[in-house]
Amino acid sequence: MMANKTLDGADLMADDTTEPPARTTAASKSAEAPVTKPAVTQTQSVTLLQRLGKLFAAGPVKPGDSFGAPGQGRSLAISIVTALSLVGLWFVATSAGWVKPLFLPSPVAVVERFWEVLTEGFANATLLEHTGWSMLRVFGAFALALVTAVPIGIFMGVNRVARGLFDPIIEFYRPLPPLAYLPLVIIWLGIGETSKIVLIYMAIFAPMALSARAGVKSVAIEQIHAAYSMGASRWQVVRHIILKSALPEILTGMRIGIGFGWTTLVAAEMVAAQAGLGFMVLNAAEFLVTDVVIMGIIVIGVIAYLFDLLMRYAERKLVPWKGR
């Protein structure tokens, strides 16, 4: 009986000790609820940081690469942030009066001048007319260099006689600035459009020819021997082996050459030009119209950059094996 009573008392005590934890009040629930709020806020901030990290990340490595090549990865987000930062710094510097408008107009003034020149014109021509004349000169010289410099460069790479003929001439005039032989071009060809196109052509010719020759030299000799051993002729080796292997260097030379062409444009339009972006910039500089000068520089840079993007796209389509 005593044992039963003791057991009953123990059961009662056990029941008394177990009941309070099972009972939860509304006050205890409200006290526990705010604890989860900081965790949600912290999770949201971590997610935002992860998204920003993915935006500026280099991206996954290519299949078969363990660590990725140096410099490999995406850089578009970094480029956009850099461009926006430079424009913001330009806006702050002009708004705060750090630089006088004569030396650096504000972005708003440049945009307003852009619209004015686009609609009303400057120096007896609209912006579209200036751009059209400049593009005609540059891309006309570029097309002429493409059909002459690339074949000569390939010929220099496969033939020692051609290399002996053209290499001294190209290497002699290549380091010369276009202004050095501009007077001679004017004496020979006059002050018309021919002299302007020839001046730009000479600036584009050298890098394109040398790039084509370098592309020929980069061809693996094993491929040439394999083609000859299978009965290929010399022309077939040049067409199917050398030309295709040299194509990446040729496209690189085209990108470099068009850059030299836009650089030489201002020098070419110094001579008796009536329209053109280089002429517009030079004319505006004489009258200290700085906003037109900056606008012209931006237009030239944008056109050159768009053409460079086009050449990059052509590289991805024509030579997908480049760099692999």
Side-chain angles (χ1 to χ4, degrees), residues 42-106:
Q42 185 178 4
T43 304
Q44 291 177 351
S45 62
V46 171
T47 305
L48 181 59
L49 291 175
Q50 289 177 350
R51 291 180 180 177
L52 290 176
K54 290 181 180 179
L55 183 63
F56 291 95
V61 297
K62 295 180 180 179
D65 292 344
S66 300
F67 302 100
Q72 178 181 329
R74 299 169 297 189
S75 61
L76 178 61
I78 300 174
S79 300
I80 293 175
V81 171
T82 301
L84 293 177
S85 300
L86 291 175
V87 174
L89 180 61
W90 178 15
F91 184 81
V92 171
T94 53
S95 299
W98 297 346
V99 185
K100 294 182 179 180
L102 177 63
F103 302 103
L104 184 63
S106 66

Coordinates of all heavy atoms in Angstrom, one line a residue, residues 42-106:
Q42 N 18.5 39.6 -43.0 CA 19.8 39.2 -43.3 C 19.8 38.3 -44.5 O 20.7 38.4 -45.4 CB 20.4 38.5 -42.1 CG 21.9 38.1 -42.3 CD 22.5 37.4 -41.0 OE1 21.7 37.2 -40.1 NE2 23.7 37.1 -41.1
T43 N 18.8 37.4 -44.6 CA 18.8 36.6 -45.8 C 18.6 37.4 -47.1 O 19.2 37.1 -48.1 CB 17.6 35.5 -45.7 OG1 17.8 34.8 -44.4 CG2 17.6 34.6 -46.8
Q44 N 17.7 38.4 -47.0 CA 17.5 39.3 -48.2 C 18.8 40.0 -48.6 O 19.1 40.1 -49.8 CB 16.4 40.2 -47.9 CG 15.0 39.6 -47.8 CD 13.9 40.6 -47.4 OE1 14.2 41.7 -47.1 NE2 12.7 40.2 -47.5
S45 N 19.5 40.5 -47.6 CA 20.8 41.2 -47.9 C 21.8 40.3 -48.5 O 22.5 40.6 -49.5 CB 21.3 41.9 -46.7 OG 21.6 40.9 -45.7
V46 N 21.8 39.0 -48.0 CA 22.8 38.1 -48.6 C 22.4 37.7 -50.0 O 23.3 37.6 -50.9 CB 22.8 36.8 -47.7 CG1 23.6 35.7 -48.4 CG2 23.4 37.1 -46.3
T47 N 21.1 37.6 -50.3 CA 20.6 37.3 -51.6 C 21.0 38.5 -52.6 O 21.4 38.2 -53.7 CB 19.1 37.1 -51.6 OG1 18.8 36.0 -50.7 CG2 18.6 36.7 -53.0
L48 N 20.8 39.7 -52.1 CA 21.2 40.8 -53.0 C 22.7 40.9 -53.3 O 23.1 41.1 -54.4 CB 20.8 42.1 -52.2 CG 21.0 43.5 -53.0 CD1 20.3 43.5 -54.3 CD2 20.6 44.6 -52.1
L49 N 23.5 40.6 -52.3 CA 24.9 40.5 -52.5 C 25.3 39.4 -53.4 O 26.2 39.6 -54.3 CB 25.6 40.4 -51.1 CG 25.6 41.6 -50.2 CD1 26.2 41.2 -48.9 CD2 26.3 42.8 -50.8
Q50 N 24.6 38.3 -53.3 CA 24.9 37.2 -54.3 C 24.5 37.6 -55.7 O 25.3 37.2 -56.6 CB 24.1 35.9 -53.8 CG 24.6 35.3 -52.5 CD 23.8 34.1 -52.1 OE1 22.7 33.9 -52.6 NE2 24.2 33.4 -51.1
R51 N 23.4 38.3 -55.9 CA 23.0 38.7 -57.2 C 24.1 39.7 -57.8 O 24.4 39.6 -59.0 CB 21.7 39.3 -57.2 CG 20.5 38.3 -56.9 CD 19.2 39.0 -56.9 NE 18.1 38.1 -56.6 CZ 16.8 38.4 -56.5 NH1 16.5 39.7 -56.7 NH2 15.9 37.5 -56.3
L52 N 24.5 40.6 -57.0 CA 25.5 41.5 -57.4 C 26.8 40.8 -57.7 O 27.5 41.1 -58.7 CB 25.8 42.6 -56.4 CG 24.6 43.6 -56.2 CD1 25.0 44.6 -55.0 CD2 24.4 44.4 -57.4
G53 N 27.2 39.8 -56.9 CA 28.4 39.0 -57.2 C 28.3 38.3 -58.5 O 29.2 38.2 -59.2
K54 N 27.1 37.7 -58.8 CA 26.9 37.0 -60.1 C 27.0 38.0 -61.2 O 27.5 37.6 -62.3 CB 25.6 36.3 -60.1 CG 25.5 35.1 -59.1 CD 24.2 34.4 -59.2 CE 24.1 33.2 -58.2 NZ 22.8 32.5 -58.3
L55 N 26.5 39.2 -61.0 CA 26.5 40.2 -62.1 C 27.9 40.6 -62.5 O 28.3 40.7 -63.7 CB 25.8 41.5 -61.7 CG 25.6 42.6 -62.7 CD1 24.8 42.1 -63.9 CD2 25.0 43.8 -62.1
F56 N 28.8 40.7 -61.5 CA 30.2 41.1 -61.8 C 31.2 39.9 -61.8 O 32.4 40.0 -61.9 CB 30.7 42.1 -60.7 CG 30.0 43.4 -60.8 CD1 28.9 43.7 -60.1 CD2 30.5 44.3 -61.7 CE1 28.3 45.0 -60.2 CE2 29.9 45.6 -61.8 CZ 28.8 45.9 -61.1
A57 N 30.6 38.7 -61.7 CA 31.5 37.5 -61.7 C 32.0 37.2 -63.2 O 31.4 37.6 -64.2 CB 30.7 36.3 -61.2
A58 N 33.1 36.5 -63.2 CA 33.7 36.2 -64.5 C 32.9 35.1 -65.3 O 33.1 35.0 -66.5 CB 35.2 35.7 -64.3
G59 N 32.1 34.4 -64.6 CA 31.3 33.4 -65.3 C 32.0 32.0 -65.2 O 33.2 31.9 -64.8
P60 N 31.3 30.9 -65.6 CA 31.9 29.6 -65.5 C 33.0 29.4 -66.5 O 33.0 30.1 -67.6 CB 30.7 28.7 -65.8 CG 29.8 29.5 -66.6 CD 29.9 30.9 -66.1
V61 N 34.0 28.6 -66.2 CA 35.1 28.3 -67.1 C 34.6 27.5 -68.3 O 33.5 26.8 -68.2 CB 36.2 27.6 -66.4 CG1 36.8 28.5 -65.3 CG2 35.7 26.3 -65.8
K62 N 35.3 27.4 -69.3 CA 34.9 26.7 -70.5 C 35.0 25.2 -70.2 O 35.8 24.7 -69.4 CB 35.8 27.0 -71.7 CG 35.6 28.5 -72.2 CD 36.5 28.8 -73.3 CE 36.4 30.2 -73.8 NZ 37.2 30.5 -74.9
P63 N 34.2 24.3 -70.9 CA 34.3 22.9 -70.7 C 35.8 22.4 -71.0 O 36.4 22.7 -72.0 CB 33.3 22.3 -71.8 CG 32.4 23.4 -72.0 CD 33.2 24.7 -71.9
G64 N 36.2 21.6 -70.0 CA 37.6 21.1 -70.1 C 38.6 21.9 -69.4 O 39.8 21.5 -69.3
D65 N 38.3 23.1 -69.0 CA 39.2 24.0 -68.3 C 39.0 23.8 -66.8 O 37.8 23.9 -66.3 CB 39.1 25.5 -68.7 CG 39.5 25.7 -70.1 OD1 40.2 24.8 -70.6 OD2 39.2 26.8 -70.7
S66 N 40.0 23.7 -66.1 CA 39.9 23.5 -64.6 C 39.9 24.9 -63.9 O 39.1 25.1 -63.0 CB 41.1 22.7 -64.1 OG 41.1 21.4 -64.7
F67 N 40.7 25.8 -64.3 CA 40.8 27.1 -63.7 C 40.5 28.2 -64.6 O 40.2 29.3 -64.1 CB 42.2 27.2 -63.1 CG 42.6 26.1 -62.1 CD1 43.4 25.1 -62.6 CD2 42.2 26.1 -60.8 CE1 43.8 24.1 -61.7 CE2 42.5 25.1 -60.0 CZ 43.3 24.1 -60.4
G68 N 40.5 28.0 -65.9 CA 40.2 29.1 -66.8 C 41.5 29.8 -67.2 O 42.4 29.9 -66.4
A69 N 41.5 30.4 -68.4 CA 42.7 31.1 -68.9 C 42.8 32.4 -68.3 O 41.7 33.0 -67.9 CB 42.6 31.2 -70.4
P70 N 44.0 33.0 -68.2 CA 44.1 34.4 -67.6 C 43.3 35.4 -68.5 O 43.4 35.4 -69.7 CB 45.6 34.7 -67.7 CG 46.2 33.3 -67.7 CD 45.3 32.4 -68.4
G71 N 42.5 36.2 -67.8 CA 41.7 37.2 -68.5 C 40.4 36.7 -69.0 O 39.6 37.5 -69.6
Q72 N 40.1 35.4 -68.9 CA 38.9 34.9 -69.4 C 37.7 35.2 -68.5 O 37.8 35.3 -67.3 CB 39.0 33.3 -69.5 CG 37.8 32.6 -70.0 CD 38.0 31.1 -70.0 OE1 39.1 30.6 -70.2 NE2 36.9 30.4 -69.8
G73 N 36.6 35.4 -69.1 CA 35.4 35.8 -68.4 C 34.7 37.0 -68.9 O 35.1 37.7 -69.8
R74 N 33.5 37.3 -68.4 CA 32.7 38.4 -68.8 C 33.1 39.7 -68.2 O 33.5 39.7 -67.0 CB 31.2 38.1 -68.5 CG 30.6 36.9 -69.2 CD 29.3 36.5 -68.6 NE 29.4 36.1 -67.2 CZ 28.4 35.6 -66.5 NH1 27.2 35.4 -67.1 NH2 28.5 35.3 -65.2
S75 N 33.0 40.8 -68.9 CA 33.4 42.1 -68.4 C 32.4 43.2 -68.8 O 32.7 44.4 -68.7 CB 34.8 42.5 -68.9 OG 34.8 42.6 -70.3
L76 N 31.2 42.8 -69.3 CA 30.3 43.8 -69.8 C 29.8 44.6 -68.6 O 29.7 45.9 -68.8 CB 29.1 43.0 -70.4 CG 28.0 43.9 -71.0 CD1 28.5 44.9 -72.0 CD2 26.8 43.1 -71.5
A77 N 29.4 44.0 -67.5 CA 28.9 44.8 -66.4 C 30.0 45.8 -65.9 O 29.6 46.9 -65.5 CB 28.5 43.8 -65.2
I78 N 31.2 45.4 -65.8 CA 32.3 46.3 -65.4 C 32.4 47.4 -66.3 O 32.6 48.6 -65.9 CB 33.6 45.5 -65.2 CG1 33.4 44.3 -64.2 CG2 34.8 46.4 -64.8 CD1 34.6 43.4 -64.1
S79 N 32.3 47.1 -67.6 CA 32.5 48.2 -68.6 C 31.3 49.2 -68.5 O 31.5 50.4 -68.6 CB 32.5 47.6 -70.0 OG 33.6 46.7 -70.2
I80 N 30.1 48.7 -68.3 CA 29.0 49.6 -68.2 C 29.1 50.5 -66.9 O 28.9 51.7 -67.0 CB 27.7 48.8 -68.1 CG1 27.4 48.1 -69.4 CG2 26.5 49.7 -67.7 CD1 26.2 47.2 -69.4
V81 N 29.5 49.9 -65.8 CA 29.7 50.7 -64.6 C 30.8 51.7 -64.8 O 30.7 52.9 -64.3 CB 30.0 49.8 -63.4 CG1 30.4 50.6 -62.2 CG2 28.8 48.9 -63.1
T82 N 31.9 51.3 -65.5 CA 33.0 52.3 -65.7 C 32.5 53.5 -66.6 O 32.8 54.6 -66.3 CB 34.2 51.5 -66.4 OG1 34.6 50.5 -65.6 CG2 35.3 52.5 -66.7
A83 N 31.8 53.2 -67.6 CA 31.3 54.2 -68.5 C 30.3 55.2 -67.7 O 30.5 56.4 -67.8 CB 30.6 53.7 -69.7
L84 N 29.4 54.6 -67.0 CA 28.5 55.4 -66.2 C 29.2 56.3 -65.1 O 28.9 57.4 -64.9 CB 27.4 54.6 -65.5 CG 26.5 53.9 -66.5 CD1 25.5 53.0 -65.7 CD2 25.7 54.9 -67.3
S85 N 30.3 55.7 -64.6 CA 31.0 56.4 -63.5 C 31.8 57.6 -64.2 O 31.8 58.7 -63.6 CB 32.0 55.5 -62.9 OG 31.4 54.4 -62.2
L86 N 32.3 57.4 -65.4 CA 33.0 58.5 -66.0 C 32.0 59.6 -66.4 O 32.4 60.8 -66.3 CB 33.7 58.0 -67.3 CG 34.9 57.1 -67.0 CD1 35.5 56.5 -68.4 CD2 36.0 57.8 -66.3
V87 N 30.9 59.2 -66.9 CA 29.9 60.3 -67.3 C 29.4 61.0 -66.0 O 29.2 62.2 -66.0 CB 28.7 59.6 -68.0 CG1 27.6 60.6 -68.2 CG2 29.1 59.0 -69.3
G88 N 29.2 60.2 -64.9 CA 28.8 60.9 -63.6 C 29.9 61.8 -63.1 O 29.6 62.9 -62.6
L89 N 31.2 61.4 -63.2 CA 32.3 62.3 -62.8 C 32.3 63.6 -63.7 O 32.6 64.7 -63.2 CB 33.6 61.6 -62.9 CG 34.9 62.3 -62.5 CD1 34.8 62.8 -61.1 CD2 36.1 61.5 -62.7
W90 N 32.1 63.4 -65.0 CA 32.0 64.5 -65.9 C 30.9 65.5 -65.5 O 31.1 66.7 -65.5 CB 31.8 64.0 -67.3 CG 31.7 65.0 -68.4 CD1 32.0 66.3 -68.3 CD2 31.2 64.8 -69.7 NE1 31.8 67.0 -69.5 CE2 31.3 66.0 -70.4 CE3 30.7 63.7 -70.4 CZ2 30.9 66.2 -71.7 CZ3 30.3 63.8 -71.7 CH2 30.4 65.1 -72.4
F91 N 29.7 64.9 -65.2 CA 28.6 65.8 -64.8 C 28.9 66.5 -63.5 O 28.6 67.7 -63.4 CB 27.4 64.9 -64.7 CG 26.1 65.7 -64.4 CD1 25.4 66.3 -65.4 CD2 25.7 65.8 -63.0 CE1 24.2 67.0 -65.1 CE2 24.5 66.5 -62.8 CZ 23.8 67.1 -63.8
V92 N 29.5 65.8 -62.5 CA 29.8 66.5 -61.2 C 30.8 67.5 -61.4 O 30.7 68.6 -60.8 CB 30.2 65.4 -60.2 CG1 30.8 66.0 -59.0 CG2 29.1 64.5 -59.9
A93 N 31.9 67.3 -62.2 CA 32.9 68.2 -62.4 C 32.4 69.5 -63.0 O 32.9 70.6 -62.7 CB 34.1 67.6 -63.2
T94 N 31.5 69.4 -64.0 CA 31.0 70.6 -64.7 C 30.0 71.3 -63.8 O 29.9 72.5 -63.9 CB 30.4 70.2 -66.0 OG1 29.5 69.1 -65.9 CG2 31.5 69.7 -67.0
S95 N 29.1 70.5 -63.1 CA 28.1 71.2 -62.3 C 28.7 71.9 -61.1 O 28.2 73.0 -60.7 CB 27.1 70.1 -61.8 OG 26.5 69.5 -62.9
A96 N 29.8 71.4 -60.5 CA 30.4 72.0 -59.4 C 31.3 73.1 -59.8 O 31.8 73.8 -58.9 CB 31.2 70.9 -58.6
G97 N 31.6 73.3 -61.0 CA 32.4 74.4 -61.5 C 33.9 74.1 -61.3 O 34.7 75.1 -61.3
W98 N 34.3 72.8 -61.3 CA 35.7 72.5 -61.2 C 36.4 72.9 -62.4 O 37.6 73.2 -62.4 CB 35.9 71.0 -60.9 CG 35.3 70.6 -59.6 CD1 34.9 71.4 -58.5 CD2 35.0 69.2 -59.1 NE1 34.4 70.6 -57.5 CE2 34.5 69.3 -57.8 CE3 35.2 68.0 -59.7 CZ2 34.1 68.2 -57.1 CZ3 34.8 66.9 -59.0 CH2 34.3 67.0 -57.7
V99 N 35.8 72.8 -63.6 CA 36.4 73.1 -64.9 C 35.5 74.1 -65.6 O 34.2 74.0 -65.6 CB 36.5 71.8 -65.7 CG1 37.2 72.1 -67.0 CG2 37.2 70.7 -65.0
K100 N 36.1 75.1 -66.2 CA 35.3 76.1 -66.9 C 34.6 75.5 -68.2 O 35.2 74.6 -68.8 CB 36.2 77.2 -67.4 CG 36.8 78.0 -66.2 CD 37.6 79.2 -66.7 CE 38.1 80.0 -65.5 NZ 39.0 81.1 -65.9
P101 N 33.4 75.9 -68.5 CA 32.8 75.4 -69.7 C 33.6 75.5 -71.0 O 33.3 74.8 -72.0 CB 31.5 76.2 -69.8 CG 31.2 76.7 -68.4 CD 32.6 76.9 -67.8
L102 N 34.4 76.5 -71.1 CA 35.3 76.7 -72.3 C 36.1 75.5 -72.5 O 36.4 75.1 -73.7 CB 36.1 77.9 -72.2 CG 37.1 78.2 -73.3 CD1 36.3 78.4 -74.6 CD2 38.0 79.4 -73.0
F103 N 36.6 74.9 -71.4 CA 37.5 73.7 -71.6 C 36.8 72.4 -71.5 O 37.2 71.4 -72.2 CB 38.6 73.7 -70.4 CG 39.4 75.0 -70.4 CD1 39.2 76.0 -69.5 CD2 40.4 75.2 -71.4 CE1 39.9 77.1 -69.5 CE2 41.2 76.3 -71.4 CZ 40.9 77.3 -70.4
L104 N 35.7 72.3 -70.8 CA 34.9 71.1 -70.7 C 33.4 71.4 -70.5 O 33.0 71.7 -69.3 CB 35.4 70.2 -69.5 CG 34.7 68.8 -69.4 CD1 35.0 68.0 -70.6 CD2 35.2 68.1 -68.1
P105 N 32.6 71.4 -71.5 CA 31.2 71.7 -71.4 C 30.5 70.5 -70.6 O 31.0 69.4 -70.6 CB 30.7 71.8 -72.8 CG 31.9 72.0 -73.6 CD 33.0 71.3 -72.9
S106 N 29.3 70.8 -70.1 CA 28.6 69.8 -69.4 C 28.0 68.8 -70.4 O 27.8 69.1 -71.6 CB 27.5 70.4 -68.6 OG 26.5 71.0 -69.5

